[in-house]
Amino acid sequence: MSTPYPFTALVGQTDLRLALLLNAVSPSVGGVLVRGEKGTAKSTAVRALSALLPQVDVVPGCRFSCAPAAPDPVCPDGPHEPGPVSARPARMVELPVGASEDRLVGALDIERALSEGVKAFEPGLLADAHRGILYVDEVNLLHDHLIDLLLDAAAMGASYVEREGVSVRHAARFLLVGTMNPEEGELRPQLLDRFGLTVEVAASREPVQRVEVVRRRLSYEDDPAAFALRWAAEEQDVRARVVAARALLPQVVLGDASLLQIAATCAGFEVDGMRADIVMARTATALAAWAGRTRVRKEDVRQAALLALPHRRRRNPFDAPGLDEEMLDRILDQFPDDEPDPGADPETGHEPEPEGPGEGPEDDGPDGGGPDGGGGVPPQGSGPDAPETEADTEAGPEADPRTENGPEPEQPAEAPDPQPSANGADAPEQAAVRAAAPFRTKMLSVPGLGEGASGRRSRARTAHGRTTGAQRPRGHLTKLHLAATVQAAAPHQKARGRTGRGLVIRKDDLRQATREGREGNLVLFVVDASGSMAARQRMSAVKGAVLSLLLDAYQRRDKVGLITFRGSTAELALPPTSSVDSAAARLEKLPTGGRTPLAAGLLKAREVLRVERLRDPSRRPLLVVVTDGRATSAGSAGGRADGTPRELSGRSARLLASEGIASVVVDCESGPVRLGLAGELAADLGGPAITLDGLRADTLAGLVKNVRTSSQTTPRRAA
């Protein structure tokens, strides 16, 4: 809709609004990453913020929004001479998930650069967002190289476009806001660290608050202009407060005591690097300016830590996000209370609060005011459409699923495999066991050359990687192959009437580099949870191996899925997703016991891969079957029952092999007497069988070679 939803009309979401406003006050904070479930007003809040930003003065006609008072000395549209000034609203530019690199950073006309020596540059979204907001919805679904370009520009305040020695640079300073749903996959820790602040949002579970959200939204959709008019006064108050805080920011003093508190907090939480300290310092300064103060207090440091540290403590994808507030308070309690500010009231010890637009005596920063209290942002339950009763809830940090059941009990020695009862009933279900510690695994890869999403597992034709040849461009030229272009143009120079030393280059001469890199795959785990796997030590080792493979899939940018089979059925425990931590949580709670419907598990995998092939044809699958190979039940998914369970499982495996699906069997059989059934299953699947010990990266097994060789022995069609 043309009329944005008012920022002050948002219900709840205190931390989200505060983080956005702090970045509006001080863009050097470094942006906000908003994590949360769908339907929690993430996008609405960002779009509403753009209406609160003050207008920007620009040089008329400059495509890069140079400021008249301090134009960019190397602006591609420059140099700019003193002259008239025009003002426009601050922009909010949205980066779509499917954007190309040229759309993000801009496009350079290579043909004109080579033939005419002219830098014909078409600005991209980074130039449009200069001095405004760049909003990236579903930032975790962007390609890694686009995220790298985006965050590099945000950190340096400039964008560089390089094409075969021809370069263009322009200013790109913007407020970066990214939103993501963690269920769809996590960002790498290195990229998480580049966002200044992070906020976890969740829908309220309080009925009164949910009613108020619905009431306001329906009122807005009925008449957006009238709804915005009812909140105009509050919007103006917050807009004026942002301007006042920006003006006050250079006067805010960050004392040595506050710096020591920041350093002790980052050291206490074992945060890597120094970026967290710098971001906390900038955030605490912005908090003081937002509260109308000229000195940072301990409460500012505490709030800055809650916004700047949670995403920086996540060392691997299985760590739960969040910050231990009790530990934070213990660290800060080691320091004395704040000293009186210069010019403070001798009786209260506090600096008098300024009486400005949207600021009153009760406005005392994020606790007593801020975006959910004073300063023009009404508290939840206030405003034109407020109900008589108010309730506010805060979503606490997510619990780590691995600690729900208390400490790990002592594990007894491995017991004999439980057998079905005499009447054919399944053995009773056994409690889930903890996974053993993960380890670094050898790389499993899919044979051949793919064209899937960029990643780090299998060979693929990609836009980024080593150059392997040249071809005519298919559509827009992406990466020029200079030598091939010159070679194509050279035979025609006499006919084109070349004069002088330069070559005459035409569009038909251009050659694009073909590159080979790595792709991410769909790694589908089929895990045997039957009674034959239920010995505690063995199942703990199996879970540890799968957890290790999940960690490897995270590092290689794969999608993962999880199928389990036990009793008489196979279950899709986790549909294919980029969220490996969700798979780890499902694996941790996996119960065991019952018969072994191996055929049902394989056929379930075939059905899941068939659906995924329709959704994403370019992403090639890798099937990882974790079992000891015993089949004691046909299972409900077996279809025809004409054969023993072992015959049905072999038939199902050969069906998967005939469809060109690369497979690996992780052999979980143990003990002095081994039947070798997992090896027979691997032969039917056309892939190798690897023991749990052989899966480790420090063993000598030549796993990558084995996967490719054994997979290529079976005729395959394109997956």
Side-chain angles (χ1 to χ4, degrees):
M1 298 181 181
S2 57
T3 304
Y5 190 91
F7 189 82
T8 51
L10 294 170
V11 179
Q13 308 294 18
T14 307
D15 289 342
L16 171 59
R17 293 192 287 173
L18 177 60
L20 291 173
L21 287 170
L22 292 178
N23 275 272
V25 170
S26 176
S28 63
V29 166
V32 186
L33 176 63
V34 187
R35 298 161 46 94
E37 58 196 28
K38 53 186 177 293
T40 49
K42 300 188 295 292
S43 301
T44 300
V46 178
R47 294 187 177 95
L49 177 69
S50 62
L52 294 179
L53 299 181
Q55 289 193 331
V56 294
D57 294 332
V58 297
V59 175
C62 178
R63 297 175 297 168
F64 302 88
S65 302
C66 282
D72 185 2
V74 293
C75 175
D77 284 355
H80 300 298
E81 300 296 334
V85 175
S86 63
R88 62 162 176 78
R91 291 174 180 160
M92 192 199 76
V93 177
E94 295 192 44
L95 176 63
V97 172
S100 64
E101 180 179 343
D102 286 342
R103 185 72 185 97
L104 177 64
V105 302
L108 192 64
D109 193 331
I110 297 297
E111 184 180 3
R112 292 190 63 189
L114 291 177
S115 59
E116 304 175 25
V118 176
K119 293 183 180 180
F121 181 68
E122 183 66 27
L125 295 177
L126 292 180
D128 293 341
H130 181 47
R131 304 176 69 196
I133 299 175
L134 182 60
Y135 173 52
V136 187
D137 193 14
E138 307 294 351
V139 64
N140 53 324
L141 301 183
L142 280 179
H143 288 300
D144 285 346
H145 74 281
L146 290 182
I147 298 178
D148 289 332
L149 291 171
L150 180 65
L151 295 178
D152 284 344
M156 295 185 297
S159 175
Y160 296 83
V161 184
E162 301 282 348
R163 293 290 189 276
E164 299 296 339
V166 181
S167 63
V168 172
R169 176 228 177 254
H170 65 83
R173 292 182 293 275
F174 46 82
L175 166 56
L176 176 62
V177 182
T179 61
M180 60 174 285
N181 184 345
E183 294 180 356
E184 297 173 342
E186 287 287 351
L187 282 172
R188 287 180 289 162
Q190 300 91 328
L191 298 180
L192 283 172
D193 186 51
R194 302 292 287 275
F195 282 93
L197 309 179
T198 186
V199 177
E200 293 277 347
V201 296
S204 172
R205 300 300 185 260
E206 174 58 44
V208 174
Q209 194 173 33
R210 296 175 73 97
V211 167
E212 182 62 13
V213 171
V214 174
R215 179 184 291 116
R216 293 188 187 183
R217 185 68 195 187
L218 294 179
S219 178
Y220 168 72
E221 292 177 352
D222 288 342
D223 192 343
F227 183 83
L229 184 62
R230 291 201 297 273
W231 293 87
E234 287 80 1
E235 292 283 287
Q236 181 56 39
D237 286 344
V238 177
R239 188 178 297 110
R241 188 175 178 185
V242 169
V243 173
R246 282 186 174 184
L248 183 63
L249 187 65
Q251 306 173 34
V252 177
V253 177
L254 181 66
D256 291 341
S258 297
L259 283 172
L260 187 58
Q261 293 168 8
I262 291 171
T265 301
C266 293
F269 282 104
E270 300 181 350
V271 177
D272 294 335
M274 295 298 299
R275 185 174 282 116
D277 303 63
I278 297 171
V279 171
M280 275 189 64
R282 291 170 175 169
T283 304
T285 304
L287 280 163
W290 175 251
R293 290 183 271 104
T294 57
R295 180 171 288 273
V296 174
R297 298 177 182 170
K298 185 187 293 186
E299 65 196 57
D300 300 324
V301 175
R302 185 184 191 279
Q303 183 63 56
L306 293 175
L307 294 173
L309 295 187
H311 59 302
R312 293 185 165 89
R313 295 193 62 243
R314 191 164 187 168
R315 302 297 181 88
N316 65 66
F318 309 135
D319 290 341
L323 201 68
D324 186 346
E325 295 193 36
E326 292 184 359
M327 179 178 175
L328 175 61
D329 290 334
R330 287 196 300 270
I331 294 174
L332 293 179
D333 286 344
Q334 299 174 9
F335 300 90
D337 293 336
D338 300 316
E339 298 180 0
D341 298 335
D345 189 318
E347 296 183 2
T348 63
H350 293 294
E351 184 178 353
E353 302 291 347
E355 296 289 342
E359 300 176 7
E362 296 181 1
D363 182 17
D364 194 25
D367 294 326
D372 206 34
V377 185
Q380 189 275 321
S382 64
D385 298 318
E388 294 182 359
T389 306
E390 67 174 2
D392 195 3
T393 59
E394 295 184 358
E398 297 179 19
D400 188 341
R402 293 172 294 170
T403 61
E404 290 182 358
N405 298 325
E408 168 67 11
E410 183 179 353
Q411 296 187 0
E414 184 170 346
D417 294 338
Q419 300 297 327
S421 59
N423 59 6
D426 291 336
E429 180 178 303
Q430 302 185 19
V433 298
R434 289 286 187 88
F439 51 84
R440 189 167 63 92
T441 68
K442 292 185 175 179
M443 188 183 76
L444 309 175
S445 64
V446 179
L449 197 64
E451 295 182 347
S454 61
R456 294 184 176 182
R457 185 171 297 278
S458 304
R459 296 173 56 224
R461 299 181 185 91
T462 60
H464 300 270
R466 63 185 183 90
T467 300
T468 58
Q471 64 180 14
R472 290 181 181 273
R474 299 175 181 176
H476 184 70
L477 177 68
T478 56
K479 181 65 177 178
L480 180 73
H481 195 298
L482 185 58
T485 299
V486 172
Q487 186 177 6
H492 308 288
Q493 296 305 299
K494 184 175 181 181
R496 294 173 183 175
R498 179 175 68 90
T499 59
R501 301 176 62 184
L503 287 176
V504 179
I505 304 292
R506 294 182 179 175
K507 188 173 183 178
D508 290 342
D509 303 326
L510 298 178
R511 295 294 182 269
Q512 180 172 296
T514 58
R515 296 187 165 198
E516 182 178 308
R518 294 281 175 175
E519 68 176 359
N521 299 121
L522 166 59
V523 182
L524 182 61
F525 295 93
V526 181
V527 180
D528 186 347
S530 64
S532 65
M533 300 282 291
R536 292 183 63 83
Q537 284 187 345
R538 187 193 310 177
M539 199 61 201
S540 176
V542 167
K543 285 188 175 182
V546 177
L547 200 64
S548 304
L549 290 168
L550 284 172
L551 184 59
D552 180 71
Y554 165 79
Q555 294 169 342
R556 300 189 189 280
R557 317 291 184 264
D558 296 317
K559 290 179 70 175
V560 297
L562 178 63
I563 293 174
T564 64
F565 58 93
R566 56 179 294 272
S568 60
T569 60
E571 176 189 3
L572 179 60
L574 182 71
T577 176
S578 297
S579 178
V580 296
D581 50 345
S582 297
R586 302 290 177 88
L587 179 72
E588 193 70 33
K589 299 177 181 179
L590 178 66
T592 58
R595 291 179 176 271
T596 311
L598 179 55
L602 296 176
L603 291 177
K604 186 68 173 180
R606 178 174 178 264
E607 176 62 20
V608 170
L609 294 179
R610 184 189 67 81
V611 174
E612 285 301 309
R613 187 179 293 117
L614 296 175
R615 292 177 177 172
D616 189 357
S618 63
R619 189 180 287 270
R620 299 187 296 162
L622 175 63
L623 185 66
V624 179
V625 185
V626 185
T627 181
D628 57 7
R630 301 184 185 183
T632 60
S633 171
S636 59
R640 298 167 55 193
D642 51 342
T644 65
R646 184 174 171 184
E647 291 173 343
L648 291 174
S649 62
R651 191 181 306 160
S652 302
R654 290 188 291 274
L655 182 60
L656 284 165
S658 68
E659 295 181 353
I661 297 173
S663 304
V664 177
V665 176
V666 179
D667 185 358
C668 303
E669 192 174 26
S670 62
V673 179
R674 305 193 181 190
L675 303 179
L677 298 178
E680 295 180 10
L681 175 65
D684 288 332
L685 285 169
I690 306 121
T691 63
L692 291 176
D693 290 337
L695 194 59
R696 295 178 180 271
D698 54 355
T699 58
L700 303 176
L703 181 58
V704 176
K705 179 180 178 181
N706 289 342
V707 171
R708 292 175 178 169
T709 302
S710 59
S711 297
Q712 291 171 343
T713 57
T714 303
R716 301 185 181 280
R717 63 177 177 83

